[in-house]
């Protein structure tokens, strides 16, 4: 069966340009490999694995192209002046494992591996171990037993080493652990002698982390001086690094390092390779790096699955220095024992589609529900009850703060943006349902109660991709409609609608956009036909956005195929971290 290849214009132009720079003749096969390498990055991969295409038939623009065996592909590429070995500065790099990289991405991967390995192998400082163990026991008083001891172990690693990676699902205590880590650092170094920065990949994740930090701090068993010194500012990684106008570069880099002694990154699964290496390169040589995230969630929409590669390297081999920098938190403090959401999430992560479906359809499972996907012509009618139940409360709120709080109790999630089961169509259907129920009056896009999802970062307005707001009358402005957003300090702020950055209606949102969010109840719809985007990571991410209950509308076949399908992003990062001898640590 032929492999379908949708060549983008940028892939075609890239191949043409490289051919103009290549000595000698460029065959159709060589040109195709160049286009595939470009497309690989566009599809979230770091490189092109030649073994995926050797001896395969590709279908391109209605034509079938048979590629030669792996050895022939290697010889073809090695013969070209634009293809180099690792460490050679050529437009593309072909390594010994048959991975073909655009040079920039090979450099990103190599440099990140070098930085992580160096930090994993470097002690972060010395402590009076007797005092430290006492402090750990004070801040982690319930750490008894092997599994519940992992938070305490994570804190010990974070203090002793320059690299600490803490992975765990929702509710496993990642944020509470890192607050205690910061308290420990400030206690042992002094509140005025240790600078800590906290960052996330999105503005919405930053606001959520800040709210969580402020909620955890009062209960810490430490001095008021330390509590006050714990940073309450969380920024996006881009803002931490300092974005430069009209440039892809940042103010902080290896030449101008960040001034912090510890940098903590939450929601690290969403960080793409280019941004992760920009951050790692900007750290002081002595700085700690602490990564928090859920390895099972969807990776960045851009190239790489960095957290997943790091975790796989750390747990898969005792030979890797990362093994001693890794902690996997498993005990869940959000879901009760026997929770349906927790049970199904575990089955989905394991690729057990039959078990996951059986749990979903079982009446014994608490908080999970299944419904066969309605035909497109019946979808709006079937949605009526769910939509009114889910959204009428916030639409009847007496104040914008009450509306914002109530709106977070329910959300519709979809795998797709377009099509009858996509976000755009669903938002339109929800507006029709609510209008017929006299809950909204959408004569224009600026109607009272309209929920907004910001889709770009706007630093001047302090609004970021993923921020959610609601249009509501502003009493202080004579009842004029303003867009109200939750503020990081727990209050709310209003923005005139005409000053809003690019945004869209937010009754329904994609699972990708929901990352970093939590809702009391979730309704997740999967399309009736299988697509590449439907994977176990997407199902898991949607499931775990719900705190109390989740309902899935899908066909059994589509759901089961998605659970069996795991995202496989091509990269060499895991191999480099497991076997450091594969990479050079010499500066380039």
């Amino acid at each position: 069966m032929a492999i379908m290849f949708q060549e983008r214009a940028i892939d075609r132009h890239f191949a043409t340009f490289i051919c103009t720079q290549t000595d000698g003749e460029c065959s159709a096969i060589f040109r195709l490999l160049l286009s595939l390498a470009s497309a690989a990055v566009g599809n979230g991969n770091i490189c092109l694995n030649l073994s995926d295409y050797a001896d395969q038939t590709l279908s391109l623009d209605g034509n079938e192209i048979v590629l030669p065996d792996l050895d022939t592909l290697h010889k073809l590429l090695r013969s070209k002046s634009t293809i180099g070995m690792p460490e050679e500065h050529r437009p593309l790099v072909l390594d010994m494992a048959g991975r073909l990289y655009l040079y920039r991405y090979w450099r990103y991967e190599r440099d990140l591996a070098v930085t992580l390995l160096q930090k994993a192998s470097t002690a972060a400082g010395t402590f009076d171990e007797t005092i430290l163990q006492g402090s750990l026991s004070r801040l982690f008083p319930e750490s008894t037993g092997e599994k519940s001891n992992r938070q305490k172990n994570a804190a010990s690693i974070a203090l002793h080493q320059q690299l600490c990676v803490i992975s765990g699902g929702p509710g496993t205590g990642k944020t509470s652990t890192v607050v205690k880590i910061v308290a420990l650092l400030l206690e042992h170094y002094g509140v005025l002698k240790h600078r800590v920065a906290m960052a996330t990949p999105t503005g919405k994740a930053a606001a959520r982390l800040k709210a969580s930090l402020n909620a955890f701090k009062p209960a810490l068993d430490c001095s008021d001086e330390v509590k006050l010194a714990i940073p309450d500012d969380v920024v996006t990684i881009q803002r931490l690094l300092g974005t430069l106008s009209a440039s892809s570069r940042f103010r902080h880099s290896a030449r101008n390092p960040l001034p912090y002694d510890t940098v903590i990154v939450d929601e690290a699964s969403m960080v793409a390779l280019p941004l992760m290496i920009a951050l790692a390169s900007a750290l002081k040589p002595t700085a700690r790096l602490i990564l928090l995230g859920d390895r099972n969630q969807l990776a960045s929409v851009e190239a790489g699955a960095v957290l997943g590669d790091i975790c796989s390297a750390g747990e898969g081999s005792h030979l890797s220095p990362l093994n001693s920098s890794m902690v996997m938190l498993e005990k869940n403090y959000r879901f009760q024992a026997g929770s349906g959401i927790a049970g199904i999430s575990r089955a989905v992560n394991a690729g057990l589609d039959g078990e996951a479906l059986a749990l979903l359809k079982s009446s014994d499972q608490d908080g999970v529900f299944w419904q066969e996907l309605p035909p497109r012509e019946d979808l709006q009618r079937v949605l009526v009850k769910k939509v009114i139940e889910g959204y009428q409360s916030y639409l009847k709120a007496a104040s914008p703060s009450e509306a914002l709080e109530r709106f977070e109790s329910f959300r519709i999630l979809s795998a797709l943006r377009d099509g009858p089961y996509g976000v755009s169509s669903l938002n339109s259907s929800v507006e029709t349902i609510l209008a017929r129920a006299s809950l909204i009056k959408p004569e224009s896009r600026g109607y009272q109660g309209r929920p907004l999802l910001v889709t770009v970062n706007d630093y001047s307005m302090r609004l970021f991709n993923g921020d959610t707001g609601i249009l509501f009358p502003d009493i202080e402005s004579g009842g004029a409609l303003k867009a109200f957003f939750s503020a990081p300090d727990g209050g709310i702020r209003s923005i005139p609608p005409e000053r809003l950055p690019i945004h869209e209606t937010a009754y329904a949102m994609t699972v990708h956009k929901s990352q970093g969010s939590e809702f009391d109840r979730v309704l997740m719809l999967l399309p009736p036909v299988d697509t590449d985007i439907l994977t176990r990571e997407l199902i898991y991410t949607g499931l775990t956005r719900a705190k109390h209950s989740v309902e899935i509308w899908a066909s059994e076949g589509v759901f089961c195929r998605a659970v069996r399908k795991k995202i496989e992003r091509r990269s060499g990062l895991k191999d480099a971290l497991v076997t450091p001898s594969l990479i050079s640590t010499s500066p380039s």
Side-chain angles (χ1 to χ4, degrees), residues 416-470:
L416 306 175
R417 285 199 55 80
D418 302 315
Y421 298 93
V423 165
S424 299
S425 180
L426 287 169
N427 275 315
S428 179
S429 293
V430 171
E431 285 183 326
T432 299
I433 292 167
L434 295 176
R436 288 175 179 172
S438 300
L439 291 168
I440 62 172
K441 297 179 181 179
E443 289 87 2
S444 68
R445 304 311 295 161
Y447 61 85
Q448 179 176 335
R450 183 190 175 203
L452 311 171
L453 180 69
V454 175
T455 57
V456 297
N457 292 332
D458 188 329
Y459 291 96
S460 65
M461 299 304 299
R462 289 180 292 125
L463 290 173
F464 304 98
N465 185 8
D467 285 352
T468 304
I470 294 174

Side-chain angles (χ1 to χ4, degrees), residues 142-189:
E142 299 179 0
S143 296
T144 57
E146 180 180 353
K147 288 189 175 180
S148 60
N149 219 25
R150 293 188 182 187
Q151 292 185 8
K152 184 178 179 180
N153 184 38
S156 180
I157 290 172
L159 263 71
H160 286 100
Q161 296 182 196
Q162 286 192 5
L163 177 67
C164 180
V165 182
I166 305 172
S167 178
T172 52
K174 296 187 297 294
T175 305
S176 63
T177 300
V178 85
V179 174
K180 295 175 183 180
I181 289 171
V182 175
L184 286 165
L185 289 168
L186 296 174
E187 282 184 352
H188 285 268
Y189 283 108

Side-chain angles (χ1 to χ4, degrees), residues 5 48 275 302 359 393 458 465 485 559:
F5 174 42
L48 177 74
L275 186 57
E302 299 177 59
L359 289 171
S393 176
D458 188 329
N465 185 8
F485 294 84
F559 176 82

Side-chain angles (χ1 to χ4, degrees), residues 268-299:
S269 66
M270 299 169 62
V271 184
L273 176 64
L275 186 57
M276 188 67 85
I277 184 54
L279 174 66
S281 299
L283 297 174
K284 295 192 300 185
T286 57
R288 286 176 177 82
L289 175 62
I290 301 174
L291 301 178
L292 308 174
D294 185 349
R295 63 176 299 183
N296 296 312
Q297 277 192 188
L298 287 164

Side-chain angles (χ1 to χ4, degrees), residues 397-402 448 470-484 492-495:
S399 67
S401 59
E402 187 178 52
Q448 179 176 335
I470 294 174
L471 291 180
F472 206 89
D474 184 8
I475 297 177
E476 296 181 1
S477 300
L481 283 181
K482 295 283 188 69
F484 287 86
I492 60 171
R493 51 192 291 258
S494 63
I495 306 290

Side-chain angles (χ1 to χ4, degrees), residues 54-365:
D55 291 315
Q56 299 295 316
T57 301
L58 263 65
S59 178
L60 173 63
D61 296 332
N63 299 315
E64 292 196 345
I65 304 171
V66 180
L67 284 107
D69 60 76
L70 187 60
D71 186 55
T72 302
L73 292 177
H74 272 260
K75 290 178 179 178
L76 171 63
L77 291 169
R78 294 282 182 221
S79 69
K80 300 301 181 182
S81 60
T82 46
I83 312 295
M85 294 284 288
E87 303 298 340
E88 292 182 337
H89 199 178
R90 305 280 181 89
L92 291 96
V93 172
L94 179 62
D95 71 7
M96 297 303 293
R99 290 182 285 245
L100 181 63
Y101 294 83
L102 308 188
Y103 177 82
R104 179 161 53 118
Y105 283 88
W106 172 82
R107 176 73 180 272
Y108 288 158
E109 184 179 278
R110 193 285 308 265
D111 288 355
L112 181 60
V114 168
T115 300
L116 293 176
L117 288 167
Q118 287 176 341
K119 290 198 169 295
S121 304
T122 305
T126 58
F127 301 90
D128 184 315
E129 289 299 326
T130 302
I131 295 176
L132 177 59
Q133 291 305 315
S135 298
L136 285 167
S137 296
R138 169 168 43 85
L139 286 167
F140 297 90
E142 299 179 0
S143 296
T144 57
E146 180 180 353
K147 288 189 175 180
S148 60
N149 219 25
R150 293 188 182 187
Q151 292 185 8
K152 184 178 179 180
N153 184 38
S156 180
I157 290 172
L159 263 71
H160 286 100
Q161 296 182 196
Q162 286 192 5
L163 177 67
C164 180
V165 182
I166 305 172
S167 178
T172 52
K174 296 187 297 294
T175 305
S176 63
T177 300
V178 85
V179 174
K180 295 175 183 180
I181 289 171
V182 175
L184 286 165
L185 289 168
L186 296 174
E187 282 184 352
H188 285 268
Y189 283 108
V191 296
L192 299 178
K193 297 180 180 179
H194 197 83
R195 300 191 64 185
V196 178
M198 300 190 188
T200 66
T202 68
K204 185 170 187 176
R208 281 198 60 239
L209 178 58
K210 181 170 184 174
S212 296
L213 293 171
N214 289 331
F216 283 122
K217 279 196 289 186
L220 286 176
D221 187 1
C222 62
S223 70
D224 289 340
E225 182 185 26
V226 168
K227 290 179 185 179
L228 288 172
I230 295 175
D232 59 3
D233 192 24
V234 183
V235 298
T236 63
I237 298 172
Q238 295 91 334
R239 192 168 189 181
L240 178 71
L241 292 172
T243 53
L244 297 174
S245 179
S247 173
S248 60
R249 297 179 181 274
F250 296 101
R251 183 175 299 109
H252 290 287
S253 64
R255 294 182 178 180
N256 180 30
L258 290 162
Y260 301 100
D261 303 296
T262 295
V263 174
I264 298 167
V265 179
D266 194 17
E267 297 289 355
S269 66
M270 299 169 62
V271 184
L273 176 64
L275 186 57
M276 188 67 85
I277 184 54
L279 174 66
S281 299
L283 297 174
K284 295 192 300 185
T286 57
R288 286 176 177 82
L289 175 62
I290 301 174
L291 301 178
L292 308 174
D294 185 349
R295 63 176 299 183
N296 296 312
Q297 277 192 188
L298 287 164
S300 165
V301 295
E302 299 177 59
V306 176
L307 184 66
D309 284 342
I310 293 172
C311 291
S312 295
E315 71 175 7
S317 172
H318 293 290
L319 300 177
S320 173
L322 266 67
N323 184 265
S324 60
S325 297
M326 196 84 49
V327 180
M328 304 294 177
L329 302 181
E330 295 181 345
K331 183 177 178 180
N332 197 295
Y333 298 89
R334 177 190 301 172
F335 304 128
Q336 296 179 350
S339 160
I341 297 175
I344 293 171
S345 298
R346 284 192 291 270
V348 167
N349 275 337
L352 303 174
D353 55 302
E355 180 179 330
L357 183 62
L359 289 171
L360 264 174
K361 300 176 76 171
S362 170
S363 58
D364 296 332
Q365 296 299 308

